[in-house]
């Protein structure tokens, strides 16, 4: 069975001391609970990665970054490389989040280059895809998501596809309080799994983790995570409070136990 992966994207929130306090609270709340069906990941801002890693070192929480540069090193002022992320303790990196596509003009081509660089350095990319509201309303969802997924995997061997995670994040559901219905999410997740099958075969497709993201919170997490092709969540707002993030993690854990 596929494990659930529940990742918190803290975005540009939390100072260093706030990030440390938040992750300490999560560790306290987790104490005594063994997670057997869920991998929990936190993605704080760059400046907090190392300190958060020191705190979660001996826990079940893994560390991820929110972005990375596609080059190895050099004159790219203000940028962070894959090797730097690894040295700070990261195992995961979010790539192609819709906010980066929108505000920083990241294209499918750039996303693909970043994914290749991430896997080359042993990072697991959490690749974000999803349609805009007008694309959903005009019936273009499957076309848009398929283009993004094919673009992400372009030139990647099956063994590299295996290490990726796709987060389906309908852009109209991110930070808006509007969530895709479980049926809408399942429909797109099934398409994504088909695309993974197309590029890497059955075995990898069956094990491949596809997260849902877009206003996931404790009240709707159970219904979304209960869908057969929804294998976790990428959580923004609700990951900034230890109790709501942990409630989503626990919802995934109980569904995992019942499967
Ligand atoms: C996100 O930014 O990836 C996200 C899903 O945000 P939110 O949960 O706040 O909608």
């Amino acid at each position: 069975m596929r494990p659930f992966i529940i990742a918190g994207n803290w975005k540009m929130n939390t100072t260093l001391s706030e990030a440390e306090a938040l992750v300490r609270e999560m560790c306290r709340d987790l104490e005594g609970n063994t997670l057997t069906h869920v991998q929990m990941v936190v993605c704080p801002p760059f400046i907090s990665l190392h300190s958060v890693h020191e705190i979660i070192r001996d826990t079940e929480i893994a560390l991820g970054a929110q972005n990375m540069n596609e080059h190895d090193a050099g004159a790219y002022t203000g940028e962070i490389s894959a090797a730097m992320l690894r040295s700070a303790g990261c195992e995961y990196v979010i790539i192609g989040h819709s906010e980066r596509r929108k505000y920083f003009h990241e294209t499918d081509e750039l996303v693909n280059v970043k994914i290749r660089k991430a896997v080359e350095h042993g990072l697991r990319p959490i690749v974000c895809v999803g349609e805009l509201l007008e694309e959903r309303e005009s019936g273009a969802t499957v076309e848009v998501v398929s283009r993004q997924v094919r673009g992400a995997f372009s030139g990647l061997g099956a063994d590299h596809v295996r290490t990726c995670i796709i987060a389906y994040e309908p852009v109209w559901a991110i930070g808006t309080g509007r969530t895709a219905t479980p049926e809408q999410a399942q429909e797109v997740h099934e398409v994504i799994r088909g695309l993974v099958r197309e590029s890497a075969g059955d075995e990898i497709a069956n094990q491949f983790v596809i997260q849902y993201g877009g206003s996931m919170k404790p009240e709707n997490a159970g219904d979304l995570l209960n869908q057969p092709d929804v294998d976790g969540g990428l959580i923004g707002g609700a990951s900034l409070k230890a109790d709501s993030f942990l409630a989503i993690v626990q919802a995934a854990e109980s569904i995992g136990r019942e499967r």
Side-chain angles (χ1 to χ4, degrees):
M1 204 49 228
R2 298 183 288 270
F4 284 109
I5 300 184
I6 305 289
N9 172 14
W10 297 4
K11 310 195 185 190
M12 199 172 73
N13 295 297
T14 67
T15 60
L16 177 56
S17 59
E18 288 166 347
E20 289 171 342
L22 178 55
V23 82
R24 278 206 178 92
E25 197 181 339
M26 288 180 187
C27 293
R28 260 197 315 274
D29 292 357
L30 256 186
E31 240 164 30
N33 290 306
T34 314
L35 298 175
T36 48
H37 296 86
V38 182
Q39 175 63 63
M40 192 171 155
V41 182
V42 291
C43 304
F46 289 135
I47 63 133
S48 301
L49 288 172
H50 176 66
S51 316
V52 166
H53 185 243
E54 292 294 300
I55 297 167
I56 62 177
R57 202 180 261 285
D58 297 318
T59 73
E60 305 193 46
I61 308 176
L63 189 67
Q66 300 173 21
N67 178 38
M68 53 165 261
N69 186 272
E70 68 277 21
H71 295 100
D72 276 323
Y76 301 101
T77 303
E79 291 296 282
I80 304 285
S81 72
M84 292 173 191
L85 296 182
R86 290 287 288 165
S87 73
C90 287
E91 294 174 60
Y92 296 80
V93 58
I94 299 171
I95 293 185
H97 191 279
S98 63
E99 288 151 15
R100 296 217 54 93
R101 293 180 190 253
K102 176 174 177 188
Y103 301 122
F104 304 98
H105 316 292
E106 294 198 3
T107 60
D108 288 342
E109 290 70 30
L110 179 60
V111 167
N112 174 254
V113 177
K114 287 191 178 193
I115 293 169
R116 292 176 194 221
K117 189 54 72 182
V119 296
E120 189 186 302
H121 285 267
L123 288 161
R124 285 194 77 180
I126 299 177
V127 184
C128 300
V129 299
E131 79 287 1
L132 304 171
L133 183 59
E134 55 269 33
E135 291 168 334
R136 173 157 285 269
E137 285 175 344
S138 68
T141 299
V142 167
E143 181 194 325
V144 169
V145 169
S146 302
R147 191 199 64 227
Q148 292 172 332
V149 173
R150 287 202 177 100
F153 290 159
S154 174
L156 245 68
D159 274 348
H160 284 162
V161 171
R162 185 199 291 279
T163 68
C164 295
I165 294 161
I166 297 266
Y168 168 55
E169 301 208 300
V171 179
W172 48 271
I174 297 179
T176 59
R178 275 185 75 175
T179 318
T181 63
E183 295 72 26
Q184 285 172 324
Q186 170 58 26
E187 195 183 0
V188 180
H189 281 230
E190 207 177 322
V191 170
I192 295 172
R193 196 170 308 284
L195 293 163
V196 176
R197 185 165 288 116
E198 192 180 279
S199 65
D202 268 344
E203 191 228 313
I204 289 174
N206 293 339
Q207 294 305 316
F208 195 88
V209 172
I210 307 171
Q211 297 174 317
Y212 169 80
S215 299
M216 192 187 262
K217 36 187 182 284
E219 303 81 67
N220 58 29
D223 286 343
L224 287 157
L225 294 168
N226 243 322
Q227 297 301 308
D229 287 297
V230 177
D231 313 312
L234 180 56
I235 327 288
S239 71
L240 290 169
K241 292 238 156 51
D243 57 353
S244 52
F245 192 52
L246 266 292
I248 297 172
V249 169
Q250 293 301 352
E253 178 68 14
S254 2
I255 294 170
R257 283 198 191 124
E258 280 161 25
R259 279 189 175 165

